[in-house]
Amino acid sequence: MFIKVPKGTQDILPEDISKWYYVEGVIKEILNKYGYKEIRTPFFEYTDLFVRGIGESTDIVTKEMFTFPDRKGRSLTLRPEGTAPVVRAYLENSMERISKAIKLFYLGPMFRCEKPQAGRFRQFNQFGIEVIGTKSSAADAEVILTVLDVYKKLGLKSLEILINSVGCKKCRVDYIQKLKKYLKDKKGFLCSECKERYDKNPLRVLDCKKDSCKKNIEQAPLIIENLCQECESHFSEVKSYLDNQKIVFHEDPRLVRGLDYYTKTAFEIISGGLGAQNAIGGGGRYDDLVEELGGKPTPAVGFAAGIERMIIAIDQQKVEWPVEKRLDIFVAKVNEKNKDTAFRLLQKIRNTGLSADMDYSGGSLKSQMRIANKIRARYTIIVGEEELSKNMVILRNMQTKEQKEVQIDNLIDELSSCIDSM
Ligand code: HAM
């Protein structure tokens, strides 16, 4: 009996890894262009960070965290998202001293114990960006432009940008009262989860996907119509920055994201064809989180996207992946007696910076050539006694099948010119 991979997790196999390298490379290239610096935080944190950061009554905290005690009984949690850890690191390392507004990015696995389905995993990878220390609406717009640039470079099309404002501490209090008043006599018709949300987190009722709830919130007051002056002008500034850049977006007045830290701008990017799990990324402003985690009031805005969903979308949209880099040189030996010379040559070739490999299983020349073909080597060097007696080896172009004898002393120069001319 084989032990299987845990539910909701997956191996990324060698045949798929080039897709990951490519996507990660594009992400780093674009984020570098926008001035982001990478931060790597631990895969687990003290549980309290997420409870305080994401919000006690959110689905993530109540149902989805992988939480366990360490040997001394302290509660740890595998990170379900990257924003709270980045803010923790920002505070712990006094990053406000580096610059007034800091731009950070991260790339790596997150863990949520959700019901697995297409595009939804228990271990998934995110790339995320966080701009900490500015309240400017230009930063919100720039975050959206940054991620759109990543998607564009990857060739992703049919993306829909949904945007909303969820207000701030000031305007939300009044709005929640209005919302609760509206929902009061409809409570009996809401799903069991929304009945709980009514008391703990009424904003989330707006986001419920169940038909009965959707129907009952149709006429609910909208937060967008209840924003304070500051939130309203911030939102119109963000929209006008996007308009100026000719970015098409849709206002979704019912968009409230699943994490409690959002203030003002909230947005999501949806990709057609991804099915139920169509959010390829989401983010927003979180002006109170730094303070809630023990720092001085510090405005911030950010975004994160699921890399698995990006790869699924690229495949679905039939965007061509770049051609995988091939092995430059395969070294084959006519018989085992030539093994040491072949091994020496192999290492010499690698030392020049070319990629090279050989087979150690002791198979015939024919089987070695089969391997060279299978791994799509560009050239094969055949080390045989007859040629070695003349201090030569055979160099075979695997595409044209042409081959010639080359002096071992000239081999590296010969290989470099062959590879350069390809
Ligand atoms: P989030 O919406 O929870 O936001 O996650 C961001 C993205 O991660 C989603 O849009 C989706 O693409 C991907 N994702 C989430 N859960 C899963 C899953 N179970 N399987 C596969 N992909 C998933 C955040 O995490 C916030 N920290 C974003 C943020 C950064 N807000 C401000 N700064």
Side-chain angles (χ1 to χ4, degrees), residues 81 83 112 114 121 126 130 257 261-262 279-281 302-303 306:
E81 61 104 48
T83 310
R112 295 184 193 175
E114 294 187 81
F121 308 93
Q126 275 188 348
E130 313 292 350
R257 304 204 359 91
Y261 47 62
Y262 291 112
I280 195 164
F303 171 90

Side-chain angles (χ1 to χ4, degrees), residues 70-250:
D70 71 5
R71 284 171 185 271
K72 293 209 166 135
R74 287 169 297 217
S75 182
L76 299 171
T77 291
L78 295 181
R79 61 180 190 193
E81 61 104 48
T83 310
V86 167
V87 170
R88 196 250 328 119
Y90 171 86
L91 289 170
E92 200 166 340
N93 297 286
S94 309
M95 285 194 213
E96 76 287 348
R97 285 189 312 205
I98 303 171
S99 83
K100 201 156 178 287
I102 192 158
K103 291 167 110 173
L104 302 167
F105 87 88
Y106 48 90
L107 199 70
M110 305 292 160
F111 308 84
R112 295 184 193 175
C113 193
E114 294 187 81
K115 198 163 180 233
Q117 63 180 83
R120 194 207 268 161
F121 308 93
R122 290 186 170 176
Q123 177 177 329
F124 58 98
N125 289 271
Q126 275 188 348
F127 92 83
I129 57 180
E130 313 292 350
V131 187
I132 307 178
T134 174
K135 61 180 186 165
S136 166
S137 50
D140 306 35
E142 197 196 75
V143 164
I144 298 176
L145 292 173
T146 309
V147 298
L148 289 181
D149 223 358
V150 171
Y151 295 142
K152 185 170 154 207
K153 180 88 197 219
L154 289 170
L156 281 169
K157 292 182 203 83
S158 322
L159 299 178
E160 195 182 354
I161 304 159
L162 304 177
I163 167 166
N164 192 21
S165 173
V166 293
C168 66
K169 269 197 282 209
K170 274 183 281 165
C171 47
R172 211 151 34 191
V173 180
D174 288 346
Y175 171 68
I176 285 177
Q177 290 222 322
K178 270 193 195 172
L179 181 64
K180 282 183 94 166
K181 201 167 152 206
Y182 168 85
L183 290 173
K184 201 169 172 192
D185 48 332
K186 299 187 170 51
K187 212 173 150 187
F189 304 102
L190 300 178
C191 70
S192 55
E193 273 180 300
C194 281
K195 279 192 188 109
E196 263 185 54
R197 286 176 183 145
Y198 176 87
D199 293 313
K200 293 188 180 156
N201 201 348
L203 267 187
R204 295 280 296 145
V205 177
L206 295 178
D207 206 26
C208 186
K209 305 284 180 281
K210 302 219 173 70
D211 285 340
S212 58
C213 298
K214 270 191 187 165
K215 223 171 97 195
N216 276 291
I217 54 155
E218 260 168 16
Q219 307 298 322
L222 299 173
I223 186 145
I224 203 80
E225 287 161 2
N226 290 275
L227 295 178
C228 62
Q229 184 56 48
E230 194 192 322
C231 288
E232 200 177 299
S233 34
H234 185 92
F235 194 41
S236 20
E237 283 164 26
V238 175
K239 288 186 288 181
S240 104
Y241 276 117
L242 295 176
D243 281 335
N244 287 341
Q245 292 296 316
K246 310 227 170 342
I247 302 296
V248 180
F249 57 86
H250 299 283

Side-chain angles (χ1 to χ4, degrees), residues 47-67 77 80-81 84 111-114 172 193 196-205 207 256-262 289 292:
T47 303
D48 214 27
L49 175 70
F50 301 115
V51 176
R52 276 167 61 188
I54 301 172
E56 240 171 331
S57 62
T58 56
D59 285 354
I60 296 182
V61 169
T62 54
K63 299 189 258 185
E64 296 169 4
M65 296 205 301
F66 285 99
T67 296
T77 291
E81 61 104 48
F111 308 84
R112 295 184 193 175
C113 193
E114 294 187 81
R172 211 151 34 191
E193 273 180 300
E196 263 185 54
R197 286 176 183 145
Y198 176 87
D199 293 313
K200 293 188 180 156
N201 201 348
L203 267 187
R204 295 280 296 145
V205 177
D207 206 26
V256 278
R257 304 204 359 91
L259 307 105
D260 278 356
Y261 47 62
Y262 291 112
L289 183 60
E292 265 154 31

